[in-house]
């Protein structure tokens, strides 16, 4: 709280801050200890905010950063979201949130060239995905932060993170006018090396108007929302898409599944059970 409110002693108080990190194990670590472990080519202090240590350490956002050997600080206390807005740097090193757009990891020329080639190769897919998702995302771009996940939702540099949005929505006396312009502006980042993204690109190249493409893009977006810390706008629609995919996987015809679930005629033809009328009247009283 002192970091947020006491600008005079902010630098002194920053020395006292303790967090878990990707390299600290079960012990908490300070920012000075972090600096002592930084790699030679590392320019920034990387951090991620979230609800629990388990959720952030398994997050898609830290995949590439950890693979490169860079340490990530886990900020899991709600007050951390407020304090880090005031603590922009520590001893000349900027604090960089790995869940926001514009993440730049130290890269050699070969890595930069590979990323540019991937951007050109997947430009068509990004365009089609943006058309399908429309206003739900600001843009769809090729990611440089993913390793094992197909995609993730990153937020704009100056808006709220997914965790901050969750905290603000939970406030009983929140300022609804602030929610409008501070709510996270979402960008969808795709992993060009993932088999799902590669196969989706092939389907789009073959026929971008394929009905399954729209379903798959929406499903990817909604699962990315959840894995990135956001809540679903309409869980029922997401559940329906999952059920359709299950039917497809089991080889069940979609119309047949709908008929099976919605067929009340068979139930109407069955003889009533003993005591059923009595039970029904009791239920009506409860209602």
């Amino acid at each position: 709280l002192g970091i947020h409110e006491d600008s005079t002693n902010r630098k002194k108080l920053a020395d006292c801050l303790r967090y878990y990190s990707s390299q600290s194990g079960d012990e908490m670590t300070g920012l000075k200890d972090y600096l002592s472990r930084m790699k030679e080519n590392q320019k920034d202090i990387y951090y991620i905010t979230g609800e629990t240590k388990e959720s952030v350490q398994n997050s898609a956002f830290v995949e590439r950063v950890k693979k490169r050997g860079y340490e990530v600080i886990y900020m899991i206390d709600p007050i951390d979201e407020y304090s880090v807005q005031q603590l922009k740097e520590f001893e000349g090193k900027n604090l960089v949130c790995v869940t926001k757009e514009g993440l730049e990891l130290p890269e050699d020329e070969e890595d930069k060239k590979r990323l540019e080639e991937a951007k050109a190769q997947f430009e068509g897919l990004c365009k089609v995905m943006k058309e399908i998702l429309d206003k739900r995302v600001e843009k769809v771009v090729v990611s440089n932060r993913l390793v094992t996940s197909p995609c993730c939702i990153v937020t704009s540099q100056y808006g709220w993170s997914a965790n901050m949005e969750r905290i603000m929505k939970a406030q009983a006396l929140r300022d609804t006018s602030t929610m409008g312009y501070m709510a996270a502006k979402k960008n969808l980042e795709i992993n060009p090396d993932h088999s799902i993204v590669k196969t989706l690109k092939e389907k789009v190249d073959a026929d971008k108007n394929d009905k399954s493409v729209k379903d798959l893009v929406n499903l990817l977006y909604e699962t990315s929302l959840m894995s990135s810390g956001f809540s679903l706008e309409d869980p029922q629609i997401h559940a329906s898409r999952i059920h359709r995919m299950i039917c497809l996987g089991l080889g069940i015809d979609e119309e047949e599944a709908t008929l099976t679930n919605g067929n009340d005629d068979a139930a109407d033809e069955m003889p009533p059970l003993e005591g059923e009328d009595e039970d029904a009247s009791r239920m009506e009283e409860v209602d």
Side-chain angles (χ1 to χ4, degrees):
L1 193 60
I3 296 288
H4 186 260
E5 295 180 346
D6 190 352
S7 57
T8 308
N9 297 304
R10 188 169 292 148
K11 287 185 178 180
K12 293 178 183 176
L13 291 169
D15 287 335
C16 303
L17 295 173
R18 293 293 180 270
Y19 306 101
Y20 290 109
S21 83
S22 57
Q23 294 182 14
S24 69
D26 295 330
E27 301 293 324
M28 299 186 96
T29 187
L31 293 174
K32 275 193 174 178
D33 294 327
Y34 181 101
L35 292 180
S36 69
R37 293 190 294 267
M38 281 178 64
K39 299 184 81 172
E40 286 183 17
N41 62 343
Q42 186 177 345
K43 299 176 182 176
D44 304 309
I45 297 171
Y46 301 114
Y47 73 89
I48 181 172
T49 58
E51 200 168 355
T52 64
K53 181 185 174 185
E54 290 72 23
S55 65
V56 293
Q57 71 184 2
N58 296 319
S59 170
F61 297 110
V62 301
E63 289 176 358
R64 180 81 62 185
V65 187
K66 285 166 69 175
K67 188 178 179 182
R68 294 278 183 86
Y70 302 118
E71 186 174 3
V72 184
I73 289 174
Y74 301 148
M75 298 188 179
I76 53 176
D77 195 298
I79 196 65
D80 291 337
E81 281 283 3
Y82 295 92
S83 62
V84 80
Q85 290 175 23
Q86 306 299 327
L87 189 69
K88 300 291 185 184
E89 58 91 31
F90 181 78
E91 294 192 3
K93 301 289 185 182
N94 293 325
L95 271 75
V96 174
C97 181
V98 298
T99 69
K100 297 199 172 186
E101 67 174 336
L103 176 67
E104 293 182 1
L105 299 174
E107 293 177 327
D108 55 32
E109 289 304 316
E110 191 179 333
D111 291 328
K112 290 177 182 177
K113 185 181 177 183
R114 194 183 298 118
L115 181 62
E116 290 305 315
E117 287 174 355
K119 285 180 179 178
Q121 188 181 352
F122 287 84
E123 187 179 356
L125 176 61
C126 291
K127 188 178 178 182
V128 170
M129 292 178 79
K130 169 59 181 158
E131 287 172 1
I132 292 170
L133 297 173
D134 198 24
K135 294 179 181 177
R136 285 179 285 175
V137 294
E138 294 285 305
K139 55 188 175 183
V140 180
V141 296
V142 171
S143 180
N144 68 334
R145 74 184 82 210
L146 299 173
V147 178
T148 58
S149 301
C151 48
C152 66
I153 302 286
V154 302
T155 53
S156 62
Q157 196 65 41
Y158 302 103
W160 286 336
S161 64
N163 190 53
M164 188 63 173
E165 189 171 299
R166 177 186 64 81
I167 291 168
M168 294 306 294
K169 282 181 177 179
Q171 302 299 317
L173 302 174
R174 65 179 180 270
D175 182 2
T176 51
S177 62
T178 311
M179 292 290 291
Y181 62 87
M182 286 302 290
K185 302 290 187 293
K186 303 175 184 72
N187 298 329
L188 180 65
E189 290 194 359
I190 60 173
N191 181 359
D193 299 320
H194 200 283
S195 56
I196 289 177
V197 176
K198 287 179 179 177
T199 309
L200 184 60
K201 178 185 179 299
E202 290 171 7
K203 286 184 79 73
V204 168
D205 290 344
D207 180 11
K208 70 175 184 179
N209 296 316
D210 187 337
K211 184 188 173 185
S212 66
V213 168
K214 187 175 181 180
D215 253 357
L216 289 166
V217 168
N218 281 308
L219 199 55
L220 276 174
Y221 168 73
E222 287 162 358
T223 51
S224 295
L225 271 181
M226 291 188 291
S227 64
S228 300
F230 292 96
S231 55
L232 287 177
E233 294 147 14
D234 192 336
Q236 188 55 46
I237 291 176
H238 179 69
S240 299
R241 288 198 181 98
I242 294 288
H243 295 154
R244 277 208 297 275
M245 291 300 169
I246 292 171
C247 288
L248 190 65
L250 295 173
I252 302 170
D253 183 68
E254 195 177 326
E255 291 182 9
E256 182 188 331
T258 307
L259 286 170
T260 304
N261 293 333
N263 190 5
D264 295 323
D265 296 336
D268 293 338
E269 289 171 8
M270 290 178 68
L273 297 171
E274 280 188 23
E276 190 176 18
D277 293 336
E278 190 180 336
D279 290 338
S281 63
R282 279 204 202 106
M283 290 298 291
E284 284 173 6
E285 287 174 19
V286 172
D287 292 341

